[in-house]
Amino acid sequence: MCRVVDLQQAVLAKNDACAHTLREDLATRGTAVINLLSSPGSGKTALLERELTLARRRDIPVAALTADLATENDAVRLARSGVPVKQILTDGLCHLEAEMLGGHLHGWLPTETRLLFIENVGNLVCPASYDLGETLRVVLASVTEGEDKPLKYPTAFGLAHLVVVTKTDIADAVSFDEKEFRANVERINPGVEVVLTSARHGEGDGALLDRALAARDGAPVHIPVMTRKSHHPHDAEEIQPRDVNHTHAPRLAGGHSHRADPGPVAPSRS
């Protein structure tokens, strides 16, 4: 068991080092990375297509990489926006890693790119532990996934700089309780902004793009509690990862990596 833990920590440490270098290299050229995480079917691709299209209309140089285990379907959809798009096929790997990302950017990313959107593999477990050199980490959840999603995936939501709710046009049909969802997000990640969107009806159009541009231009980015050492280890509201797969808090913007002190795990509805 110790060997497994040691190996995982070594892999994550190597990824952190690669992410740190990638972040510095991209910052030198004026490019910010936005890492999008969500479960499959959250509407991530539809929302990103709208944001990329809007960026092109505003003459903002952006690009996108989309990752899947198989098919180039999402890349085809995103390419309709008219911006540079590249597909990454992970060949069974459930997440992207910084070294893999850097390899795909080499010789491809246009030099004038201000924002690089990464559509991570549809998964809220493994991708949460891997820093991709991002300036902004965004976690998305659709109204169909339930208000307790943040409690079930505390690492993903706990390390987010921004939370986006999708498919709000059907919120009433699925009895989505926005107040309860926001309360659960706040319990996991106090102070993080929650943005409501509907790719179908246009609610929240440009919100993700605006937040990304602000972060790229140096605006303060939310600092999740889970990236800091807690000074209140007995705080009952502090939510921590459950197992070794979730115990690593990756270095995010700012270059610091900390594990918060142990605390109770929130109960979740199932």
Side-chain angles (χ1 to χ4, degrees):
M1 182 63 181
C2 290
R3 286 187 177 182
V4 174
V5 173
D6 290 344
L7 178 59
Q8 286 183 318
Q9 296 304 321
V11 169
L12 292 169
K14 178 183 177 182
N15 183 82
D16 279 353
C18 291
H20 180 70
T21 300
L22 182 60
R23 180 181 291 109
E24 289 188 335
D25 290 346
L26 289 172
T28 298
R29 58 187 287 173
T31 303
V33 175
I34 298 84
N35 185 9
L36 305 178
L37 287 74
S38 79
S39 300
S42 68
K44 181 166 73 263
T45 306
L47 176 64
L48 182 54
E49 182 182 352
R50 291 185 70 96
E51 297 296 293
L52 295 177
T53 301
L54 182 59
R56 186 169 182 270
R57 290 174 183 167
R58 293 184 183 176
D59 293 323
I60 301 169
V62 302
L65 283 175
T66 180
D68 278 304
L69 276 67
T71 82
E72 296 189 357
N73 295 348
D74 287 353
V76 171
R77 291 176 59 186
L78 295 179
R80 297 185 301 204
S81 66
V83 309
V85 174
K86 187 174 184 180
Q87 179 78 50
I88 299 177
L89 297 180
T90 65
D91 194 27
L93 191 64
C94 62
H95 60 276
L96 287 176
E97 297 179 6
E99 186 174 21
M100 181 192 310
L101 176 62
H104 282 276
L105 294 180
H106 183 70
W108 171 78
L109 187 66
T111 56
E112 72 278 7
T113 304
R114 293 177 64 191
L115 300 175
L116 173 63
F117 289 90
I118 307 296
E119 184 180 15
N120 217 316
V121 180
N123 181 353
L124 284 177
V125 183
C126 300
S129 293
Y130 287 83
D131 181 9
L132 298 181
E134 63 257 32
T135 301
L136 198 66
R137 175 176 288 209
V138 183
V139 175
L140 300 88
S142 71
V143 298
T144 61
E145 296 177 65
E147 297 82 1
D148 59 348
K149 196 77 171 185
L151 304 182
K152 292 181 176 180
Y153 297 91
T155 302
F157 283 88
L159 292 174
H161 298 124
L162 177 68
V163 173
V164 174
V165 178
T166 61
K167 304 184 182 182
T168 56
D169 52 288
I170 60 172
D172 290 341
V174 298
S175 300
F176 177 70
D177 189 331
E178 179 188 340
K179 183 177 180 180
E180 183 180 349
F181 179 84
R182 287 181 178 274
N184 290 334
V185 170
E186 182 68 15
R187 184 176 183 185
I188 297 294
N189 192 346
V192 70
E193 182 183 11
V194 177
V195 174
L196 304 181
T197 67
S198 166
R200 177 176 294 179
H201 290 175
E203 180 181 4
D205 269 7
L208 177 58
L209 180 61
D210 289 342
R211 286 1 176 241
L213 284 171
R216 183 262 181 193
D217 292 338
V221 173
H222 170 72
I223 302 175
V225 169
M226 289 182 67
T227 63
R228 294 174 283 172
K229 287 184 177 178
S230 173
H231 295 291
H232 305 283
H234 301 296
D235 184 354
E237 291 299 308
E238 182 136 337
I239 310 300
Q240 300 306 326
R242 300 174 187 240
D243 55 47
V244 68
N245 289 321
H246 297 166
T247 56
H248 184 77
R251 289 185 181 88
L252 301 179
H256 300 290
S257 175
H258 297 298
R259 295 188 187 91
D261 293 335
V265 176
S268 62
R269 298 184 305 168
S270 58

